[in-house]
Amino acid sequence: MIKSLLLSAKRYAPEREIVCGNRRYDYRELNARIARLANVLTEAGIGAGDTVAVMDWDSHRYLEAYFAVPMIGAVLHHVNVRLSVDQIGYTMAHAEDRLVLVNDDFLPIVEELADRLPTVESYIQLSDAAEAANTSLKTLGEYEALLASTSTDYLFPDFDENSVATTFYTTGTTGNPKGVYFSHRQLVLHTLNMATTLAAYEGVSLLRSEDVYMPMTPMFHVHAWGVPYVATMLGVKQVYPGRYEPNRLVRLYRDEGVTFSHGVPTVLQMLLNCDEAKDTDLGRWKLLTGGAAPTEGLVRQMVERGIRFYTGYGMSETCPLLSLTHLTPEQAALPPAGQVALRMRTGVPISLVDLRVVDETGCEVPLDDSCVGEVQVRAPWLTQGYFREPEKGAELWQGGWLHTGDVASVDAHGVLQIRDRIKDVIKTGGEWISSLLLESLISRHPAVANVAVVGVPDPRWDERPLALVVPVEGQEIDSGTLKQHLMQYVDNGEINKWAIPQQIRIVDSIPVTSVGKVNKKQIREQLAAQG
Amino acid sequence: MIKSLLLSAKRYAPEREIVCGNRRYDYRELNARIARLANVLTEAGIGAGDTVAVMDWDSHRYLEAYFAVPMIGAVLHHVNVRLSVDQIGYTMAHAEDRLVLVNDDFLPIVEELADRLPTVESYIQLSDAAEAANTSLKTLGEYEALLASTSTDYLFPDFDENSVATTFYTTGTTGNPKGVYFSHRQLVLHTLNMATTLAAYEGVSLLRSEDVYMPMTPMFHVHAWGVPYVATMLGVKQVYPGRYEPNRLVRLYRDEGVTFSHGVPTVLQMLLNCDEAKDTDLGRWKLLTGGAAPTEGLVRQMVERGIRFYTGYGMSETCPLLSLTHLTPEQAALPPAGQVALRMRTGVPISLVDLRVVDETGCEVPLDDSCVGEVQVRAPWLTQGYFREPEKGAELWQGGWLHTGDVASVDAHGVLQIRDRIKDVIKTGGEWISSLLLESLISRHPAVANVAVVGVPDPRWDERPLALVVPVEGQEIDSGTLKQHLMQYVDNGEINKWAIPQQIRIVDSIPVTSVGKVNKKQIREQLAAQG
């Protein structure tokens, strides 16, 4: 039960603070506010099994909803406000949201969608300004006013720990977003295991009682990687930064004494480049990244600034944490620069995670960091399927293992390296070639502005790689030069000769998805249509 | 599932050691040996639901059984070898043990009992000597030989996480021992929560990856407080000391680099007093005590030797951990001597433990460290009842809370102090008086050798305290002098005047139980018989 995660902080650290904007209050008050929010929700007619959506920046309100909504037996829907308006509407209708907590900044989206959300009965406004914004929506009022109007007493019930606590949607390159969901039991287990993982290993020690936590992964993104639940259980000081603005994040780090944050590589890169970071000592910061592979340049920059840097791996379907940087004592004794390559890797599976990397025949790949296979996992906190799409859930869990769709290699220390998505890997002559690796090698040629590599059907080899290359403006390049360029990586052993694409096409542009990723499915379809 | 606790150590610390006697092996080998033991058990006909008993000192074998037995779906019965032979026989018959792993040292007990154990089909000998002892029992062979004869492959099945994993018996002053039992789910939750508790709080930090662990609470005693599971999950170096011998424990501490141990106060006192401890720097040792209240003298001695000392609370019924020393930052900044009184207290309830101290009317007592009530708890890892004694289980769980039978006060920081057993507390005029407190105050008189205080029925006050006092040999003492002696504690506010026993009887001896505790039940019965 999620409510049990609240028991310790008020005993261990009743005076420690939750900070958001000008608001700061302690753990006693957090407990009182969660009870108030539960009363507001109950008075709004929300009961067990109902879904409550939140559309907000990272805030104390979001943290309160992380607890109050599941604790009354309702389901918390973290709406991904970065999706297109249509996609947001799809997810809110599909999740059957009944009540929506919406930040003034997202009112225009909801006002546009309101007619298409038949299950939504009412709205609560979340305002960071002194005056709540005007809206045509039928709202119950502003969050703080509603909280103030109700009581701090709420008797949170006991119920089946397998009840769904949270849901959110994950987007692929095709089709509609799919809803994943997590039970009380799963979130408690994920929280306890993550607390151990972040605290018990001297080589990791990212989050202990005296740390100060500030998320930089949105709270609508896989429970902000699960850390708000951990931080609250441990009773650490927490800082919620609202909308991410690099200079403000650095100022909060400095002024609030932040020691631990997590974020995707692009956010971390923006941080390092912002004005405020130039003259700030970042050496106290422990940073965890994930969601995408950090570049070597980014990691090197962080290490030079004294930041203790870790890489984790997980996905929406996995709650999320599956693996985390873990150095052997010998590796940890290396000078910081010598740890860069190690800290960029995808990490070692954490406790309670059963993880295997298997090839097409179902055999585990050798630990040579070269052979690749699909990452498949079992752990107590993985989504049991996709909401109202049982056939997709069955596919996800084929053979009793969750298929991540990620392709990885494993080194002799058991450290993972994600290489590609399985849909994009090129299966040729019984071997798998990473499309991302080929793209990375081709892009090292100075005349290449952009590149995409896909597999195309081949009668003899099953598939063969094909590259689309956009030249740097004003420069010329041809297929022969690029093949020559790739030969150096054959010579130094990075790839085999048969990995060199037979076809390299020079093009003007490469199709991307709505969220800006290379749309390899579309490329493959276009190539197929061309014959 | 307990098997999931084994996943991380072989990845994080494959080379770290398990040490027992002359045997030392790493986590890879631990995994292999657990598979071998599973094969031995399976070949012996043990299957899901069968009970396997272990009678051993603290050893690597016991650790292997902690995993292998539940991982094949069987139930591990930790036999309390300190009980009387009859009680041991009762517990083994009641638990329906099918196979018994028995150390040569306990063969005489089992040989005597064998005819009274109809469910036991076979025995496995555990020998620390080069040659296994001779026995009349039908044994399958010696443990190491059996392990060596089988394979390191075993496919541990998945099954219902609510399956019983372990059982053991708890003794009261009356009646037969009662069997408590814990499921895979409960042990995993207890392990994860304890790992967090021992690692994530800077003020505690008893067990982290680089620590070296040696138990000094027997492994048949409430899972050695659950620590072997935690240590194994974290992959720390573990030292199993066999039979406890103070000088050898101190040598192991010194030679193996031990940093964390736990034990009851009497074991810790023996350690400090032994020869080997005299010239050994004990300053690296972190010690956790529990099971009984440590005396101030013991704690002061430990603090003077530089030992970091903690007190925990739990019982057989609670897996066990419920509360642990937790100092506020201000308290932690006090000089060591100033922390003695704080570290002797029973501690703060740990995360996920819902704990209340309630008086006879069911109201929580004020946080004044003076009012007392019964400690009642809820947590995911408490025994669901007593094996084959449903009515006693129902009594334990009256009203949905586990009744510990312990009486405590709580101070303003939420720190517990156990004061008495509820059966022994004296209920007088609507107030509860701790019999232990009165005994402690009376025993401060130099002429008192031994004392027991019980409640006797009183028509007006419900109960009144009555003291039995044994004088120091060769000295005389009378009731009036002792009442006078107690008045000083009334004057300084430690007790109220009505707490002074009206009747103080000078006696030759005080009845004790088979395990040497004062037998208050017998005292009350004798007093009642006398009228």
Side-chain angles (χ1 to χ4, degrees):
Chain A
M1 305 293 295
I2 285 173
K3 72 173 173 176
S4 63
L5 299 177
L6 281 177
L7 287 165
S8 41
K10 64 184 173 194
R11 298 192 289 230
Y12 282 159
E15 291 99 4
R16 225 173 256 147
E17 285 178 325
I18 315 290
V19 180
C20 182
N22 295 324
R23 193 174 292 273
R24 57 180 70 225
Y25 56 78
D26 66 18
Y27 273 92
R28 284 192 207 91
E29 181 71 9
L30 174 66
N31 278 272
R33 290 176 57 93
I34 288 169
R36 286 182 188 273
L37 176 53
N39 277 313
V40 169
L41 295 170
T42 304
E43 286 159 21
I46 297 299
D50 289 337
T51 300
V52 175
V54 175
M55 301 174 76
D56 197 7
W57 307 113
D58 286 10
S59 71
H60 62 294
R61 297 173 297 241
Y62 222 137
L63 180 68
E64 290 156 13
Y66 264 45
F67 287 91
V69 175
M71 281 165 62
I72 65 167
V75 179
L76 176 66
H77 174 196
H78 314 95
V79 178
N80 184 343
V81 293
R82 295 219 185 114
L83 297 180
S84 68
V85 173
D86 281 350
Q87 282 181 314
I88 291 175
Y90 173 84
T91 65
M92 293 176 74
H94 191 266
E96 300 173 16
D97 297 339
R98 279 194 63 193
L99 172 67
V100 183
L101 279 63
V102 53
N103 188 299
D104 285 349
D105 289 352
F106 306 117
L107 282 174
I109 298 173
V110 183
E111 286 164 356
E112 184 182 336
L113 287 173
D115 292 344
R116 287 184 263 162
L117 301 173
T119 60
V120 174
E121 289 164 8
S122 50
Y123 299 88
I124 290 176
Q125 262 185 283
L126 314 176
S127 299
D128 292 310
E131 293 266 320
N134 285 325
T135 175
S136 58
L137 296 174
K138 196 179 103 190
T139 83
L140 299 173
E142 202 281 324
Y143 185 90
E144 292 296 340
L146 289 169
L147 255 62
S149 73
T150 186
S151 144
T152 60
D153 288 327
Y154 194 98
L155 196 66
F156 289 102
D158 290 317
F159 45 82
D160 184 353
E161 62 172 9
N162 292 309
S163 307
V164 175
T166 64
T167 185
F168 48 89
Y169 285 73
T170 171
T171 49
T173 44
T174 60
N176 282 316
K178 299 192 292 288
V180 296
Y181 50 93
F182 300 92
S183 68
H184 283 254
R185 173 180 180 278
Q186 292 186 303
L187 284 164
V188 169
L189 280 162
H190 186 268
T191 301
L192 287 173
N193 196 62
M194 193 169 197
T196 304
T197 300
L198 298 184
Y201 301 95
E202 295 293 358
V204 182
S205 66
L206 284 169
L207 186 60
R208 291 173 178 167
S209 60
E210 308 304 309
D211 277 297
V212 177
Y213 166 61
M214 177 172 75
M216 302 190 308
T217 315
M219 295 181 81
F220 57 76
H221 191 194
V222 211
H223 314 110
W225 297 355
V227 185
Y229 285 120
V230 179
T232 304
M233 184 179 85
L234 297 183
V236 308
K237 177 175 170 181
Q238 302 185 55
V239 181
Y240 286 89
R243 185 174 189 164
Y244 297 164
E245 199 284 301
N247 286 307
R248 198 152 47 79
L249 291 173
V250 174
R251 276 197 300 276
L252 284 170
Y253 155 79
R254 196 180 52 212
D255 299 345
E256 298 294 344
V258 172
T259 62
F260 173 55
S261 295
H262 49 76
V264 294
T266 43
V267 167
L268 302 189
Q269 189 65 66
M270 285 193 315
L271 269 191
L272 291 181
N273 295 350
C274 80
D275 290 341
E276 204 72 51
K278 286 198 177 67
D279 299 319
T280 303
D281 174 8
L282 303 178
R284 189 185 60 231
W285 224 341
K286 293 174 283 188
L287 288 174
L288 171 63
T289 202
T295 65
E296 192 181 323
L298 170 64
V299 181
R300 203 166 285 284
Q301 241 182 307
M302 288 202 277
V303 167
E304 278 162 15
R305 306 268 328 231
I307 294 170
R308 279 210 284 151
F309 177 75
Y310 296 81
T311 302
Y313 167 60
M315 54 200 300
S316 295
E317 284 82 351
T318 64
C319 199
L321 198 63
L322 295 177
S323 76
L324 190 67
T325 300
H326 182 271
L327 305 186
T328 64
E330 297 73 42
Q331 291 170 337
L334 292 172
Q339 299 181 14
V340 168
L342 300 168
R343 290 181 178 274
M344 285 173 64
R345 294 181 63 93
T346 320
V348 178
I350 61 167
S351 49
L352 265 66
V353 170
D354 200 359
L355 184 149
R356 63 182 196 183
V357 178
V358 293
D359 64 20
E360 281 176 306
T361 67
C363 291
E364 292 203 43
V365 301
L367 307 183
D368 60 3
D369 206 26
S370 161
C371 295
V372 294
E374 190 189 19
V375 179
Q376 299 179 357
V377 288
R378 305 177 69 177
W381 47 76
L382 313 180
T383 189
Q384 291 169 56
Y386 295 110
F387 185 52
R388 291 188 5 205
E389 304 196 74
E391 67 300 332
K392 287 184 184 159
E395 199 183 318
L396 179 73
W397 274 102
Q398 229 178 87
W401 289 78
L402 184 146
H403 293 243
T404 63
D406 285 319
V407 168
S409 61
V410 191
D411 75 11
H413 293 294
V415 183
L416 284 181
Q417 183 62 55
I418 301 295
R419 301 284 178 185
D420 210 343
R421 291 290 297 164
I422 199 164
K423 287 182 213 148
D424 299 331
V425 85
I426 297 141
K427 289 113 186 160
T428 183
E431 298 289 337
W432 286 4
I433 304 174
S434 161
S435 64
L436 296 179
L437 174 62
L438 285 179
E439 288 165 4
S440 159
L441 297 177
I442 293 171
S443 71
R444 291 192 199 167
H445 191 285
V448 172
N450 200 0
V451 55
V453 174
V454 297
V456 289
D458 181 275
R460 184 162 172 200
W461 302 108
D462 193 9
E463 283 189 337
R464 289 290 300 144
L466 178 149
L468 301 183
V469 171
V470 181
V472 171
E473 218 176 302
Q475 298 208 26
E476 298 233 336
I477 187 124
D478 60 43
S479 161
T481 313
L482 286 170
K483 287 182 187 174
Q484 200 57 42
H485 164 76
L486 286 174
M487 271 308 292
Q488 62 179 301
Y489 306 116
V490 175
D491 294 342
N492 72 12
E494 281 192 63
I495 49 172
N496 279 307
K497 199 171 172 194
W498 41 259
I500 296 183
Q502 226 167 331
Q503 301 185 61
I504 300 185
R505 299 190 187 174
I506 312 303
V507 295
D508 293 335
S509 68
I510 287 171
V512 293
T513 67
S514 61
V515 291
K517 290 184 189 172
V518 173
N519 192 335
K520 295 198 178 177
K521 183 168 193 291
Q522 191 183 333
I523 294 172
R524 281 189 292 261
E525 283 168 357
Q526 285 174 355
L527 290 170
Q530 291 162 16
Chain B
M1 305 290 295
I2 284 173
K3 71 172 175 176
S4 64
L5 299 176
L6 280 177
L7 287 165
S8 41
K10 64 185 173 192
R11 298 192 290 232
Y12 281 160
E15 291 99 4
R16 225 172 256 149
E17 286 178 326
I18 315 290
V19 180
C20 182
N22 295 322
R23 193 175 290 273
R24 56 180 70 224
Y25 56 77
D26 66 18
Y27 272 93
R28 283 192 208 91
E29 183 70 10
L30 174 66
N31 278 271
R33 289 176 58 93
I34 288 168
R36 286 182 189 274
L37 177 53
N39 276 312
V40 169
L41 297 170
T42 305
E43 285 159 22
I46 297 299
D50 289 336
T51 300
V52 175
V54 175
M55 302 174 75
D56 197 7
W57 306 113
D58 287 9
S59 72
H60 62 295
R61 297 172 299 239
Y62 221 137
L63 180 67
E64 290 157 13
Y66 264 46
F67 287 91
V69 175
M71 281 166 63
I72 66 168
V75 179
L76 176 66
H77 174 196
H78 314 95
V79 178
N80 184 344
V81 294
R82 296 217 186 116
L83 297 181
S84 69
V85 174
D86 281 349
Q87 282 180 315
I88 291 175
Y90 173 83
T91 66
M92 293 177 75
H94 190 266
E96 300 173 17
D97 297 339
R98 279 196 62 194
L99 173 68
V100 183
L101 279 63
V102 52
N103 189 298
D104 285 348
D105 289 352
F106 306 117
L107 282 174
I109 298 174
V110 183
E111 286 164 357
E112 183 182 338
L113 287 173
D115 292 343
R116 289 184 263 161
L117 302 173
T119 59
V120 174
E121 290 164 9
S122 49
Y123 298 88
I124 290 176
Q125 261 185 284
L126 313 176
S127 300
D128 292 311
E131 293 264 323
N134 285 325
T135 176
S136 59
L137 295 174
K138 195 179 101 192
T139 83
L140 299 172
E142 202 281 323
Y143 185 89
E144 291 297 340
L146 289 169
L147 254 61
S149 73
T150 186
S151 145
T152 60
D153 288 327
Y154 194 98
L155 197 66
F156 289 101
D158 290 318
F159 45 80
D160 183 352
E161 63 173 9
N162 292 310
S163 307
V164 174
T166 64
T167 186
F168 49 89
Y169 285 73
T170 172
T171 49
T173 43
T174 60
N176 282 315
K178 300 191 290 288
V180 296
Y181 49 93
F182 300 93
S183 68
H184 282 255
R185 174 180 178 279
Q186 292 185 304
L187 284 164
V188 168
L189 281 162
H190 186 266
T191 301
L192 287 172
N193 196 63
M194 192 171 198
T196 303
T197 300
L198 298 184
Y201 301 94
E202 296 293 358
V204 183
S205 66
L206 284 170
L207 185 61
R208 290 175 179 167
S209 60
E210 308 304 309
D211 277 297
V212 177
Y213 166 62
M214 178 171 75
M216 302 191 307
T217 314
M219 295 181 81
F220 58 75
H221 192 194
V222 213
H223 314 110
W225 297 355
V227 185
Y229 285 121
V230 178
T232 304
M233 184 179 84
L234 297 183
V236 308
K237 177 175 170 180
Q238 302 184 55
V239 180
Y240 286 88
R243 184 174 190 163
Y244 298 164
E245 198 285 300
N247 286 305
R248 196 152 48 79
L249 291 173
V250 173
R251 277 197 298 276
L252 284 170
Y253 156 79
R254 194 179 54 212
D255 299 344
E256 298 293 343
V258 171
T259 62
F260 172 56
S261 295
H262 48 76
V264 293
T266 44
V267 167
L268 303 189
Q269 189 66 67
M270 285 192 315
L271 269 191
L272 292 181
N273 295 350
C274 79
D275 290 340
E276 204 71 51
K278 287 199 176 65
D279 299 318
T280 303
D281 174 8
L282 303 178
R284 189 185 61 230
W285 225 340
K286 294 175 282 189
L287 289 175
L288 171 63
T289 202
T295 64
E296 191 181 323
L298 171 64
V299 181
R300 203 165 285 283
Q301 239 182 310
M302 288 203 274
V303 167
E304 276 163 16
R305 307 255 347 216
I307 294 169
R308 280 210 282 149
F309 177 75
Y310 297 81
T311 302
Y313 167 61
M315 54 201 300
S316 296
E317 285 81 350
T318 65
C319 199
L321 198 63
L322 295 176
S323 76
L324 190 66
T325 300
H326 183 271
L327 306 186
T328 64
E330 297 74 42
Q331 292 171 335
L334 292 172
Q339 298 180 16
V340 167
L342 300 168
R343 290 182 179 273
M344 284 173 64
R345 293 180 63 90
T346 320
V348 178
I350 61 168
S351 49
L352 265 66
V353 170
D354 201 358
L355 185 149
R356 63 183 197 183
V357 177
V358 293
D359 64 21
E360 280 177 307
T361 68
C363 291
E364 293 202 42
V365 301
L367 306 182
D368 60 3
D369 205 26
S370 160
C371 294
V372 294
E374 190 190 19
V375 179
Q376 300 179 356
V377 287
R378 304 179 67 177
W381 47 75
L382 312 181
T383 190
Q384 290 168 55
Y386 295 109
F387 185 52
R388 292 187 6 205
E389 304 196 74
E391 68 300 333
K392 287 185 183 159
E395 198 183 321
L396 181 73
W397 275 102
Q398 229 177 88
W401 289 79
L402 185 146
H403 293 243
T404 64
D406 285 319
V407 168
S409 62
V410 191
D411 75 11
H413 294 293
V415 184
L416 284 181
Q417 183 62 55
I418 301 296
R419 301 284 177 185
D420 210 341
R421 291 290 298 164
I422 200 165
K423 288 181 214 150
D424 298 331
V425 86
I426 297 140
K427 290 115 187 158
T428 183
E431 298 289 335
W432 286 3
I433 303 174
S434 163
S435 63
L436 295 180
L437 174 62
L438 285 179
E439 288 165 6
S440 161
L441 297 177
I442 293 171
S443 71
R444 290 191 200 167
H445 192 283
V448 172
N450 199 3
V451 55
V453 174
V454 297
V456 289
D458 182 275
R460 181 159 174 204
W461 301 107
D462 194 9
E463 283 189 337
R464 289 292 298 147
L466 178 149
L468 301 184
V469 172
V470 181
V472 171
E473 218 176 301
Q475 297 209 27
E476 298 232 338
I477 187 128
D478 61 44
S479 162
T481 312
L482 286 170
K483 286 182 188 174
Q484 199 57 41
H485 164 76
L486 285 173
M487 271 310 291
Q488 63 183 300
Y489 306 115
V490 175
D491 293 341
N492 71 13
E494 282 189 66
I495 49 172
N496 278 308
K497 195 169 176 197
W498 42 258
I500 295 183
Q502 224 166 331
Q503 300 186 59
I504 299 184
R505 300 191 187 172
I506 311 302
V507 295
D508 294 333
S509 67
I510 287 172
V512 292
T513 68
S514 61
V515 294
K517 289 185 191 173
V518 172
N519 193 336
K520 296 199 177 175
K521 183 168 193 291
Q522 192 184 330
I523 296 173
R524 283 188 292 261
E525 284 168 358
Q526 287 173 354
L527 290 170
Q530 293 162 17

